[in-house]
Every structure is written in C-alpha cells, then in structure tokens.
Short mmCIF file of all heavy atoms in Angstrom, two decimals:
data_model
loop_
_atom_site.label_atom_id
_atom_site.label_comp_id
_atom_site.label_asym_id
_atom_site.label_seq_id
_atom_site.Cartn_x
_atom_site.Cartn_y
_atom_site.Cartn_z
N TYR A 202 71.40 163.30 111.30
CA TYR A 202 70.93 161.98 110.92
C TYR A 202 69.42 161.92 111.13
O TYR A 202 68.90 162.47 112.10
CB TYR A 202 71.59 160.89 111.77
CG TYR A 202 70.92 159.54 111.67
CD1 TYR A 202 71.30 158.62 110.70
CD2 TYR A 202 69.88 159.19 112.54
CE1 TYR A 202 70.67 157.39 110.61
CE2 TYR A 202 69.26 157.96 112.44
CZ TYR A 202 69.65 157.07 111.48
OH TYR A 202 69.03 155.85 111.38
N TYR A 203 68.74 161.25 110.21
CA TYR A 203 67.32 160.99 110.34
C TYR A 203 67.05 159.53 109.99
O TYR A 203 67.59 159.01 109.01
CB TYR A 203 66.49 161.89 109.42
CG TYR A 203 66.66 163.36 109.70
CD1 TYR A 203 67.59 164.11 109.00
CD2 TYR A 203 65.89 163.98 110.67
CE1 TYR A 203 67.75 165.46 109.27
CE2 TYR A 203 66.04 165.33 110.94
CZ TYR A 203 66.97 166.06 110.24
OH TYR A 203 67.12 167.40 110.50
N SER A 204 66.23 158.89 110.79
CA SER A 204 65.84 157.53 110.46
C SER A 204 64.97 157.53 109.22
O SER A 204 64.36 158.55 108.85
CB SER A 204 65.09 156.89 111.63
OG SER A 204 63.85 157.52 111.87
N ASP A 205 64.91 156.40 108.56
CA ASP A 205 64.15 156.31 107.31
C ASP A 205 62.68 156.67 107.51
O ASP A 205 62.06 157.26 106.62
CB ASP A 205 64.27 154.91 106.72
CG ASP A 205 65.66 154.60 106.21
OD1 ASP A 205 66.42 155.55 105.95
OD2 ASP A 205 65.98 153.41 106.05
N SER A 206 62.14 156.34 108.66
CA SER A 206 60.72 156.56 108.89
C SER A 206 60.36 158.03 109.04
O SER A 206 59.18 158.39 108.90
CB SER A 206 60.25 155.77 110.11
OG SER A 206 60.94 156.20 111.28
N VAL A 207 61.33 158.90 109.35
CA VAL A 207 61.03 160.30 109.58
C VAL A 207 61.71 161.22 108.58
O VAL A 207 61.44 162.43 108.58
CB VAL A 207 61.41 160.73 111.01
CG1 VAL A 207 60.80 159.79 112.03
CG2 VAL A 207 62.92 160.81 111.18
N LYS A 208 62.56 160.69 107.75
CA LYS A 208 63.29 161.50 106.77
C LYS A 208 62.32 162.29 105.91
O LYS A 208 61.37 161.75 105.36
CB LYS A 208 64.18 160.61 105.90
CG LYS A 208 64.99 161.35 104.85
CD LYS A 208 66.05 162.23 105.49
CE LYS A 208 66.93 162.89 104.44
NZ LYS A 208 67.96 163.76 105.06
N GLY A 209 62.58 163.58 105.79
CA GLY A 209 61.73 164.45 105.00
C GLY A 209 60.58 165.06 105.76
O GLY A 209 59.95 166.00 105.26
N ARG A 210 60.29 164.56 106.95
CA ARG A 210 59.21 165.09 107.76
C ARG A 210 59.70 165.73 109.05
O ARG A 210 59.04 166.64 109.56
CB ARG A 210 58.21 163.98 108.10
CG ARG A 210 57.57 163.34 106.88
CD ARG A 210 56.45 162.38 107.27
NE ARG A 210 56.95 161.27 108.10
CZ ARG A 210 56.61 161.07 109.37
NH1 ARG A 210 55.78 161.89 109.98
NH2 ARG A 210 57.11 160.03 110.02
N PHE A 211 60.81 165.26 109.59
CA PHE A 211 61.35 165.77 110.85
C PHE A 211 62.59 166.61 110.56
O PHE A 211 63.37 166.30 109.64
CB PHE A 211 61.76 164.62 111.78
CG PHE A 211 60.62 163.86 112.40
CD1 PHE A 211 59.35 163.87 111.85
CD2 PHE A 211 60.83 163.10 113.54
CE1 PHE A 211 58.30 163.15 112.42
CE2 PHE A 211 59.81 162.38 114.12
CZ PHE A 211 58.55 162.41 113.56
N THR A 212 62.80 167.65 111.36
CA THR A 212 63.98 168.48 111.26
C THR A 212 64.52 168.76 112.64
O THR A 212 63.79 169.25 113.51
CB THR A 212 63.69 169.80 110.54
OG1 THR A 212 63.15 169.55 109.24
CG2 THR A 212 64.98 170.61 110.39
N ILE A 213 65.80 168.46 112.85
CA ILE A 213 66.44 168.75 114.13
C ILE A 213 67.21 170.06 114.00
O ILE A 213 67.82 170.34 112.97
CB ILE A 213 67.36 167.59 114.57
CG1 ILE A 213 67.85 167.80 116.00
CG2 ILE A 213 68.54 167.42 113.62
CD1 ILE A 213 68.55 166.57 116.59
N SER A 214 67.18 170.87 115.04
CA SER A 214 67.89 172.13 115.05
C SER A 214 68.33 172.46 116.47
O SER A 214 67.86 171.85 117.43
CB SER A 214 67.04 173.26 114.46
OG SER A 214 65.87 173.47 115.23
N ARG A 215 69.18 173.45 116.59
CA ARG A 215 69.77 173.79 117.89
C ARG A 215 69.88 175.30 118.02
O ARG A 215 70.32 175.98 117.10
CB ARG A 215 71.14 173.11 118.01
CG ARG A 215 71.91 173.36 119.28
CD ARG A 215 73.15 172.47 119.29
NE ARG A 215 73.83 172.52 118.01
CZ ARG A 215 74.49 171.51 117.47
NH1 ARG A 215 74.57 170.35 118.11
NH2 ARG A 215 75.08 171.64 116.30
N ASP A 216 69.49 175.81 119.16
CA ASP A 216 69.63 177.22 119.49
C ASP A 216 70.54 177.30 120.71
O ASP A 216 70.09 177.08 121.83
CB ASP A 216 68.28 177.86 119.76
CG ASP A 216 68.38 179.37 119.96
OD1 ASP A 216 69.47 179.88 120.24
OD2 ASP A 216 67.33 180.05 119.83
N ILE A 217 71.80 177.62 120.48
CA ILE A 217 72.78 177.62 121.57
C ILE A 217 72.46 178.70 122.60
O ILE A 217 72.68 178.50 123.79
CB ILE A 217 74.20 177.80 121.00
CG1 ILE A 217 74.53 176.67 120.03
CG2 ILE A 217 75.22 177.85 122.13
CD1 ILE A 217 74.40 175.29 120.65
N THR A 218 71.93 179.83 122.15
CA THR A 218 71.61 180.90 123.08
C THR A 218 70.55 180.49 124.08
O THR A 218 70.50 181.02 125.19
CB THR A 218 71.16 182.16 122.34
OG1 THR A 218 69.93 181.91 121.65
CG2 THR A 218 72.22 182.59 121.34
N LYS A 219 69.69 179.56 123.70
CA LYS A 219 68.65 179.05 124.58
C LYS A 219 69.00 177.70 125.17
O LYS A 219 68.20 177.14 125.94
CB LYS A 219 67.31 178.96 123.85
CG LYS A 219 66.76 180.31 123.41
CD LYS A 219 65.42 180.13 122.72
CE LYS A 219 64.75 181.47 122.44
NZ LYS A 219 65.56 182.33 121.54
N ASN A 220 70.16 177.16 124.81
CA ASN A 220 70.60 175.86 125.29
C ASN A 220 69.54 174.80 125.02
O ASN A 220 69.24 173.95 125.88
CB ASN A 220 70.94 175.91 126.79
CG ASN A 220 72.07 174.97 127.17
OD1 ASN A 220 72.87 174.56 126.33
ND2 ASN A 220 72.14 174.61 128.45
N THR A 221 68.98 174.85 123.83
CA THR A 221 67.83 174.03 123.48
C THR A 221 68.01 173.40 122.10
O THR A 221 68.51 174.04 121.18
CB THR A 221 66.55 174.87 123.49
OG1 THR A 221 66.31 175.37 124.82
CG2 THR A 221 65.34 174.05 123.06
N VAL A 222 67.61 172.15 122.01
CA VAL A 222 67.54 171.44 120.74
C VAL A 222 66.06 171.20 120.42
O VAL A 222 65.28 170.83 121.30
CB VAL A 222 68.31 170.11 120.80
CG1 VAL A 222 68.05 169.27 119.55
CG2 VAL A 222 69.79 170.37 120.95
N TYR A 223 65.70 171.40 119.17
CA TYR A 223 64.32 171.27 118.73
C TYR A 223 64.17 170.11 117.77
O TYR A 223 65.11 169.70 117.09
CB TYR A 223 63.84 172.55 118.03
CG TYR A 223 63.90 173.78 118.89
CD1 TYR A 223 64.99 174.63 118.84
CD2 TYR A 223 62.85 174.09 119.75
CE1 TYR A 223 65.05 175.76 119.63
CE2 TYR A 223 62.89 175.22 120.54
CZ TYR A 223 63.99 176.06 120.48
OH TYR A 223 64.04 177.18 121.27
N LEU A 224 62.97 169.58 117.72
CA LEU A 224 62.59 168.61 116.71
C LEU A 224 61.29 169.08 116.09
O LEU A 224 60.23 169.01 116.72
CB LEU A 224 62.43 167.21 117.29
CG LEU A 224 62.17 166.11 116.27
CD1 LEU A 224 63.39 165.89 115.39
CD2 LEU A 224 61.78 164.81 116.95
N GLN A 225 61.37 169.58 114.87
CA GLN A 225 60.19 169.98 114.13
C GLN A 225 59.61 168.76 113.44
O GLN A 225 60.31 168.09 112.68
CB GLN A 225 60.53 171.06 113.10
CG GLN A 225 59.35 171.53 112.26
CD GLN A 225 58.33 172.31 113.05
OE1 GLN A 225 58.69 173.10 113.92
NE2 GLN A 225 57.05 172.08 112.79
N ILE A 226 58.36 168.48 113.72
CA ILE A 226 57.69 167.30 113.19
C ILE A 226 56.57 167.78 112.29
O ILE A 226 55.62 168.41 112.75
CB ILE A 226 57.14 166.40 114.30
CG1 ILE A 226 58.24 166.02 115.29
CG2 ILE A 226 56.48 165.16 113.70
CD1 ILE A 226 57.74 165.22 116.48
N ASN A 227 56.67 167.49 111.02
CA ASN A 227 55.67 167.89 110.04
C ASN A 227 54.98 166.67 109.45
O ASN A 227 55.54 165.57 109.42
CB ASN A 227 56.31 168.70 108.91
CG ASN A 227 56.86 170.03 109.38
OD1 ASN A 227 56.32 170.64 110.30
ND2 ASN A 227 57.93 170.48 108.74
N ASN A 228 53.76 166.89 108.96
CA ASN A 228 53.00 165.83 108.31
C ASN A 228 52.98 164.57 109.16
O ASN A 228 53.33 163.48 108.70
CB ASN A 228 53.57 165.54 106.92
CG ASN A 228 52.65 164.71 106.06
OD1 ASN A 228 51.43 164.72 106.26
ND2 ASN A 228 53.21 163.99 105.11
N VAL A 229 52.55 164.72 110.40
CA VAL A 229 52.59 163.60 111.33
C VAL A 229 51.69 162.47 110.86
O VAL A 229 50.68 162.68 110.18
CB VAL A 229 52.20 164.04 112.75
CG1 VAL A 229 53.19 165.06 113.28
CG2 VAL A 229 50.78 164.60 112.78
N GLU A 230 52.08 161.26 111.23
CA GLU A 230 51.36 160.05 110.91
C GLU A 230 51.02 159.33 112.20
O GLU A 230 51.68 159.53 113.22
CB GLU A 230 52.21 159.15 110.01
CG GLU A 230 52.68 159.81 108.72
CD GLU A 230 53.70 158.98 107.98
OE1 GLU A 230 54.19 157.98 108.55
OE2 GLU A 230 54.00 159.33 106.83
N PRO A 231 49.99 158.48 112.18
CA PRO A 231 49.66 157.72 113.39
C PRO A 231 50.83 156.94 113.95
O PRO A 231 50.94 156.78 115.17
CB PRO A 231 48.53 156.79 112.93
CG PRO A 231 47.88 157.52 111.81
CD PRO A 231 48.99 158.24 111.10
N GLU A 232 51.72 156.47 113.10
CA GLU A 232 52.88 155.72 113.54
C GLU A 232 53.88 156.57 114.31
O GLU A 232 54.81 156.03 114.92
CB GLU A 232 53.58 155.06 112.34
CG GLU A 232 52.77 153.95 111.67
CD GLU A 232 51.59 154.47 110.86
OE1 GLU A 232 51.61 155.66 110.47
OE2 GLU A 232 50.65 153.69 110.61
N ASP A 233 53.72 157.88 114.28
CA ASP A 233 54.59 158.77 115.06
C ASP A 233 54.19 158.83 116.52
O ASP A 233 54.92 159.44 117.32
CB ASP A 233 54.58 160.18 114.47
CG ASP A 233 55.17 160.24 113.07
OD1 ASP A 233 56.13 159.49 112.79
OD2 ASP A 233 54.66 161.04 112.26
N THR A 234 53.07 158.26 116.88
CA THR A 234 52.63 158.25 118.27
C THR A 234 53.67 157.54 119.14
O THR A 234 53.99 156.37 118.90
CB THR A 234 51.27 157.58 118.41
OG1 THR A 234 50.28 158.35 117.72
CG2 THR A 234 50.87 157.47 119.88
N ALA A 235 54.18 158.23 120.13
CA ALA A 235 55.23 157.68 120.98
C ALA A 235 55.58 158.71 122.05
O ALA A 235 55.18 159.87 121.97
CB ALA A 235 56.48 157.34 120.16
N VAL A 236 56.35 158.26 123.03
CA VAL A 236 57.00 159.18 123.94
C VAL A 236 58.35 159.54 123.33
O VAL A 236 59.12 158.65 122.96
CB VAL A 236 57.19 158.57 125.34
CG1 VAL A 236 57.94 159.53 126.25
CG2 VAL A 236 55.83 158.22 125.94
N TYR A 237 58.61 160.82 123.23
CA TYR A 237 59.84 161.31 122.61
C TYR A 237 60.82 161.75 123.68
O TYR A 237 60.47 162.51 124.59
CB TYR A 237 59.53 162.46 121.65
CG TYR A 237 58.92 162.00 120.36
CD1 TYR A 237 57.60 161.56 120.31
CD2 TYR A 237 59.66 161.98 119.18
CE1 TYR A 237 57.04 161.11 119.13
CE2 TYR A 237 59.11 161.53 117.99
CZ TYR A 237 57.80 161.10 117.97
OH TYR A 237 57.25 160.66 116.80
N TYR A 238 62.05 161.28 123.56
CA TYR A 238 63.12 161.57 124.52
C TYR A 238 64.28 162.25 123.80
O TYR A 238 64.56 161.96 122.64
CB TYR A 238 63.65 160.28 125.15
CG TYR A 238 62.63 159.44 125.87
CD1 TYR A 238 61.87 158.50 125.18
CD2 TYR A 238 62.43 159.57 127.23
CE1 TYR A 238 60.94 157.71 125.82
CE2 TYR A 238 61.51 158.78 127.89
CZ TYR A 238 60.77 157.86 127.19
OH TYR A 238 59.85 157.08 127.85
N CYS A 239 64.96 163.13 124.51
CA CYS A 239 66.21 163.65 124.00
C CYS A 239 67.37 163.10 124.81
O CYS A 239 67.21 162.67 125.96
CB CYS A 239 66.24 165.18 123.97
SG CYS A 239 66.20 166.00 125.57
N ALA A 240 68.54 163.08 124.21
CA ALA A 240 69.74 162.55 124.84
C ALA A 240 70.93 163.41 124.47
O ALA A 240 71.01 163.93 123.36
CB ALA A 240 69.98 161.10 124.41
N ALA A 241 71.86 163.53 125.41
CA ALA A 241 73.12 164.22 125.19
C ALA A 241 74.25 163.22 125.30
O ALA A 241 74.38 162.53 126.31
CB ALA A 241 73.30 165.35 126.21
N ALA A 242 75.06 163.13 124.27
CA ALA A 242 76.16 162.18 124.20
C ALA A 242 77.50 162.89 124.09
O ALA A 242 77.57 164.09 123.78
CB ALA A 242 75.96 161.23 123.01
N HIS A 243 78.56 162.12 124.32
CA HIS A 243 79.90 162.66 124.20
C HIS A 243 80.06 163.39 122.88
O HIS A 243 79.55 162.95 121.85
CB HIS A 243 80.92 161.52 124.30
CG HIS A 243 82.34 161.96 124.26
ND1 HIS A 243 82.98 162.52 125.34
CD2 HIS A 243 83.24 161.96 123.25
CE1 HIS A 243 84.22 162.82 125.01
NE2 HIS A 243 84.41 162.50 123.74
N ARG A 244 80.78 164.49 122.91
CA ARG A 244 80.83 165.41 121.78
C ARG A 244 81.37 164.78 120.50
O ARG A 244 81.08 165.25 119.41
CB ARG A 244 81.67 166.64 122.13
CG ARG A 244 83.14 166.36 122.41
CD ARG A 244 83.83 167.61 122.92
NE ARG A 244 85.26 167.40 123.13
CZ ARG A 244 85.79 166.90 124.23
NH1 ARG A 244 84.99 166.54 125.24
NH2 ARG A 244 87.09 166.74 124.34
N ARG A 245 82.17 163.74 120.62
CA ARG A 245 82.72 163.09 119.43
C ARG A 245 81.95 161.84 119.03
O ARG A 245 82.39 161.11 118.14
CB ARG A 245 84.20 162.79 119.61
CG ARG A 245 85.08 164.05 119.51
CD ARG A 245 86.55 163.71 119.43
NE ARG A 245 87.07 163.23 120.69
CZ ARG A 245 87.52 164.01 121.67
NH1 ARG A 245 87.50 165.33 121.50
NH2 ARG A 245 87.97 163.48 122.79
N THR A 246 80.82 161.60 119.67
CA THR A 246 79.94 160.53 119.23
C THR A 246 79.32 160.91 117.89
O THR A 246 78.81 162.01 117.73
CB THR A 246 78.82 160.28 120.25
OG1 THR A 246 79.39 160.01 121.53
CG2 THR A 246 77.96 159.10 119.83
N THR A 247 79.38 160.00 116.94
CA THR A 247 78.79 160.27 115.64
C THR A 247 77.28 160.17 115.72
O THR A 247 76.72 159.53 116.61
CB THR A 247 79.32 159.30 114.57
OG1 THR A 247 78.82 157.99 114.84
CG2 THR A 247 80.83 159.29 114.55
N VAL A 248 76.61 160.79 114.75
CA VAL A 248 75.16 160.72 114.74
C VAL A 248 74.69 159.29 114.49
O VAL A 248 73.65 158.88 115.01
CB VAL A 248 74.57 161.68 113.69
CG1 VAL A 248 74.80 163.13 114.11
CG2 VAL A 248 75.15 161.43 112.30
#
C-alpha cells in the first residue's frame, strides 16, 4: 500500500535474510520532511 502523496515515488521492500524492511524514497519533495517510523503489526493485519 502507498498513500496518494507518495505513490510512484516511494517503494517498500523487505530482505528477510537481514530482517530489514526498506523504504526507497525517490524524487523527494519538501513536503516529505518528517520523522519516519516503522511499525510491525499482526501478520493478518491488512495494509
């Protein structure tokens, strides 16, 4: 899932071997300025 404001610019991915989730942010805009947090939810929680 991507919010409308980041669709086409952000890409989420996961590397299980590194136990890491990434957020690739391209073509950043001033409105992207923020503190970014990650969260882990129950496995059957929908996006």
Side-chain angles (χ1 to χ4, degrees):
Y202 166 90
Y203 299 94
S204 66
D205 291 340
S206 61
V207 308
K208 180 68 176 179
R210 300 188 298 114
F211 288 20
T212 303
I213 190 169
S214 62
R215 179 173 46 213
D216 186 341
I217 300 303
T218 65
K219 296 181 172 61
N220 213 22
T221 298
V222 171
Y223 300 95
L224 185 68
Q225 179 69 39
I226 305 175
N227 295 328
N228 194 25
V229 298
E230 304 170 350
E232 292 73 21
D233 296 324
T234 295
V236 177
Y237 284 73
Y238 302 86
C239 66
H243 183 78
R244 64 187 183 275
R245 286 191 288 274
T246 304
T247 68
V248 292

